[in-house]
């Protein structure tokens, strides 16, 4: 069966440009999470979706970051006016219900801002 | 504010021996703890978990111990195998501002485990 997929797998961009990262969760999974892992750091929570709504956006680091989810499925994380400190691996996870041992992670998108 | 800490960036163990990975936390509201394993270029995969009402959970070669008074948990792998070489993340689940527990996880920095043949 298909797992969580993310695209692109790698993204190199110039400082100041906007980027969009995509996550396709496992079909039927209602909960979706975005995390990021900066070099030498643990995974940092960004945002949580239940269906199409985001009850917790507390991890978004600035207003340059936004995310949406449509149809209770695909989610897009958008970073506007990228900065070098945005460079990280962005990971998406989904679960059938908000139970942490059922979170399935995608392979991540490695973002490099030059 | 690092609420979950893994103070050992790396650990090297001989095949067949025990691997012990440690994790400390500061938030007493955490109610569920998990260990994830991550290989390069892959997402983390769930390994084992423990509820805050227990002090031990075992699954095959993997055992997680929780010491609530010390706010410390550890993962024991016995016997260690070369295929266990990966980054191990400790994670904790807590409550949001509304008092509802859901799946948001707070992760430690990870420990790179290398098991030598």
């Amino acid at each position: 069966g298909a797992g969580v997929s993310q695209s692109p797998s790698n993204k190199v961009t110039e400082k100041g440009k906007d980027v969009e990262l995509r996550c396709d969760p496992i079909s039927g999974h209602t909960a979706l999470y975005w995390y990021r892992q900066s070099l030498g750091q643990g995974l940092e929570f960004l945002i949580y979706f239940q269906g199409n709504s985001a009850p917790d956006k507390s991890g978004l680091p600035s207003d340059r970051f936004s995310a949406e989810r449509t149809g209770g499925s695909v989610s897009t994380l958008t970073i506007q006016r990228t900065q070098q400190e945005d460079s990280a691996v962005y990971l998406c996870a989904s679960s059938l219900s908000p139970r942490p041992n059922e979170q399935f992670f995608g392979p991540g998108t490695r973002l490099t801002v030059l | 504010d690092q609420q979950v800490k893994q103070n050992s960036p790396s650990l090297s163990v001989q095949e067949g021996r025990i691997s012990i990975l440690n994790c400390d936390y500061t938030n007493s509201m955490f109610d569920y703890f998990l260990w994830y394993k991550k290989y390069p270029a892959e997402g983390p995969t769930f390994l084992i978990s423990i509820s805050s009402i227990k002090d031990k959970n075992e699954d095959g070669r993997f055992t997680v111990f929780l010491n609530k008074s010390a706010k410390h948990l550890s993962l024991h792998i016995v016997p260690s195998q070369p295929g266990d070489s990966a980054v191990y993340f400790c994670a904790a689940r807590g409550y949001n501002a509304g008092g509802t527990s859901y799946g948001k996880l707070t992760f430690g920095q990870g420990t790179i485990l290398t098991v030598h043949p």
Side-chain angles (χ1 to χ4, degrees):
Chain A
V4 177
S5 61
Q6 292 186 244
S7 60
S9 55
N10 279 286
K11 177 71 177 179
V12 180
T13 190
E14 293 180 350
K15 178 181 172 182
K17 295 286 181 68
D18 298 350
V19 296
E20 282 191 355
L21 311 180
R22 177 187 169 106
C23 171
D24 282 274
I26 294 173
S27 178
H29 280 196
T30 60
L32 186 147
Y33 304 82
W34 282 98
Y35 297 87
R36 74 174 177 181
Q37 184 182 13
S38 302
L39 190 63
Q41 302 296 314
L43 280 72
E44 172 192 12
F45 168 80
L46 298 178
I47 187 169
Y48 156 61
F49 286 93
Q50 181 59 41
N52 290 336
S53 63
D56 191 345
K57 307 178 183 180
S58 62
L60 295 177
S62 76
D63 59 8
R64 296 186 295 104
F65 287 71
S66 63
E68 64 174 13
R69 189 179 185 195
T70 54
S73 180
V74 172
S75 177
T76 303
L77 177 68
T78 301
I79 308 173
Q80 295 178 310
R81 305 180 302 282
T82 52
Q83 303 294 312
Q84 287 184 333
E85 61 263 29
D86 300 334
S87 296
V89 177
Y90 289 81
L91 289 153
C92 174
S94 72
S95 65
L96 190 59
S97 64
R99 289 175 57 199
N101 59 322
E102 292 181 346
Q103 276 189 35
F104 295 87
F105 281 82
T109 293
R110 180 175 295 278
L111 174 66
T112 303
V113 182
L114 301 177
Chain B
D1 177 25
Q2 192 77 31
Q3 297 189 60
V4 178
K5 293 182 181 179
Q6 293 176 256
N7 292 317
S8 297
S10 63
L11 175 67
S12 183
V13 172
Q14 203 69 30
E15 181 178 7
R17 299 289 188 105
I18 184 172
S19 296
I20 300 176
L21 297 105
N22 293 302
C23 178
D24 296 295
Y25 62 96
T26 58
N27 188 344
S28 58
M29 293 297 290
F30 287 142
D31 69 338
Y32 204 81
F33 302 90
L34 307 91
W35 286 93
Y36 278 81
K37 177 178 177 180
K38 186 180 184 301
Y39 293 116
E42 295 183 10
T45 55
F46 169 73
L47 192 58
I48 193 169
S49 62
I50 188 167
S51 165
S52 61
I53 62 173
K54 296 189 175 182
D55 55 18
K56 178 182 175 180
N57 187 27
E58 190 172 354
D59 184 2
R61 296 185 297 114
F62 303 91
T63 303
V64 56
F65 295 92
L66 176 63
N67 182 333
K68 283 187 66 178
S69 61
K71 294 190 175 66
H72 177 84
L73 67 155
S74 61
L75 174 68
H76 292 210
I77 306 173
V78 182
S80 302
Q81 299 173 354
D84 295 330
S85 298
V87 180
Y88 288 79
F89 289 99
C90 167
R93 180 185 77 182
Y95 290 84
N96 65 6
T100 302
S101 178
Y102 68 96
K104 170 187 172 181
L105 298 176
T106 302
F107 284 84
Q109 307 96 308
T111 297
I112 301 170
L113 173 66
T114 304
V115 180
H116 299 283

